[in-house]
Amino acid sequence: MPWRMGWRGMRLACIGAALLVLGLVWWLAWQSVEAERQQQQISTAQQQASLAAVVAENLAQVVNKGQLMALAAGDALAGHARGQQSTPEVHRRLSTMLVAEHSFARYLLLNAALQPVDASYALSGSEFAPLMAGLRQALQLPEQGHARLLPAARSALSGHPDLWQIPLVYALRPMDGETAGARAPGGYLLLMLDLGYFLNLYRDVEMGAGSAIHLLNAQGVALAELGPQGLTMPFSREPVAAAAHMTGNRGATVAALQPGGAKSHFSWRRNASSPFLVVASRGLEWVHGSPREDSRKVWTLLGVLSL
């Protein structure tokens, strides 16, 4: 009887030890899967933050180059008003600067009365009227950095075949000897930013499956998107659903960018000199897809070994 109880105890002890080891293996597997999931989330957050920061900084540099053109345009406009520069000379000066910066496709120089002084293209009446209406509306809005974006910019350019061009408005300094001490601009320079050209620079950047770059205006209205399907133009003129989350100059959160859409992990960046909001996003199904598949394999293998 004692020997029988001893063997039974040893058998129970072996079963208990096996269950303990099995439980430990399951616990370690769970820890490993959870660590991989968290690492994937951290990696995605860092990647999206870096991508948004790079695009926002490069876009701010383009806006700053436009500011340099605006300074030259202000000098040219002042010289033209004093009779020191002819219209062809003004055109030659600005056209040379336009050729050097590929992100800008066209320009339009206006005086303080919003009358055209020079342009890099033939401006039709059907295009000029909505463009001026958008400009007057933009001048009522607070300045965002060095330039303003025209509201409903694409509707103002509906007569032009390249709808990827977004007008940036630069206020020029007052002309020498006029309105001394006043704040009224001496004129305006409209530069057509070619978003298609700018975003195509990132076409070959490894963003990860399910990732996209979104360009929004200060109100959160989407202007363009570079994603898995290539360069696309949003149809909605309403702010994206997640615009309320995008406060401050930088941040990250998980939410649906559009009403009823799938949730994404996204990071946003603003630059003080730029009127744009840059968002880098990746769908949660892609963020969790690889860890979920790996964890399924782990649980299947452990389930088989536990039988």
Side-chain angles (χ1 to χ4, degrees), residues 33-288:
V33 169
E34 183 65 17
E36 183 182 359
R37 186 185 67 83
Q38 293 181 0
Q39 183 59 41
Q40 181 68 22
Q41 290 181 342
I42 293 173
S43 176
T44 297
Q46 292 175 341
Q47 183 182 30
Q48 301 306 313
S50 298
L51 183 59
V54 168
V55 176
E57 179 59 29
N58 291 342
L59 192 55
Q61 290 179 10
V62 172
V63 174
N64 291 338
K65 290 177 182 178
Q67 177 67 10
L68 294 178
M69 289 188 64
L71 294 174
D75 289 338
L77 189 61
H80 182 269
R82 293 193 300 265
Q84 296 174 346
Q85 290 191 35
S86 64
T87 300
E89 288 174 329
V90 172
H91 181 81
R92 191 181 310 113
R93 184 176 181 182
L94 295 180
S95 295
T96 300
M97 298 185 72
L98 184 69
V99 170
E101 180 48 60
H102 300 294
S103 294
F104 295 119
R106 303 181 292 160
Y107 75 82
L108 172 63
L109 180 62
L110 305 168
N111 61 20
L114 303 185
Q115 296 173 334
V117 176
D118 183 38
S120 62
Y121 64 106
L123 191 66
S124 64
S126 60
E127 184 179 357
F128 183 72
L131 197 60
M132 289 303 98
L135 174 58
R136 291 187 176 92
Q137 186 179 352
L139 295 179
Q140 303 302 316
L141 301 174
E143 231 175 331
Q144 299 287 335
H146 294 321
R148 292 181 174 95
L149 276 173
L150 260 64
R154 288 201 179 87
S155 64
L157 290 173
S158 57
H160 197 271
D162 192 352
L163 298 183
W164 291 108
Q165 296 178 12
I166 301 297
L168 289 175
V169 184
Y170 293 85
L172 308 182
R173 63 173 178 79
M175 294 180 288
D176 295 344
E178 284 194 22
T179 60
R183 295 183 180 178
Y188 300 94
L189 178 66
L190 273 67
L191 288 174
M192 311 305 176
L193 175 62
D194 191 344
L195 289 182
Y197 171 82
F198 178 80
L199 285 177
N200 270 324
L201 297 176
Y202 302 92
R203 182 180 294 276
D204 296 328
V205 173
E206 180 56 46
M207 297 187 296
S211 298
I213 300 172
H214 314 263
L215 291 188
L216 284 63
N217 65 14
Q219 291 73 41
V221 177
L223 302 173
E225 175 183 325
L226 178 63
Q229 291 78 32
L231 201 58
T232 57
M233 181 188 301
F235 293 101
S236 174
R237 291 294 177 263
E238 297 297 324
V240 297
H245 298 281
M246 301 177 196
T247 58
N249 291 332
R250 64 179 61 191
T253 190
V254 174
L257 286 174
Q258 299 295 346
K263 288 187 176 182
S264 300
H265 183 287
F266 60 87
S267 297
W268 68 89
R269 287 293 186 277
R270 283 187 177 91
N271 191 291
S273 63
S274 171
F276 296 98
L277 174 62
V278 178
V279 179
S281 70
R282 191 180 190 192
L284 285 186
E285 67 272 20
W286 296 97
V287 176
H288 297 153

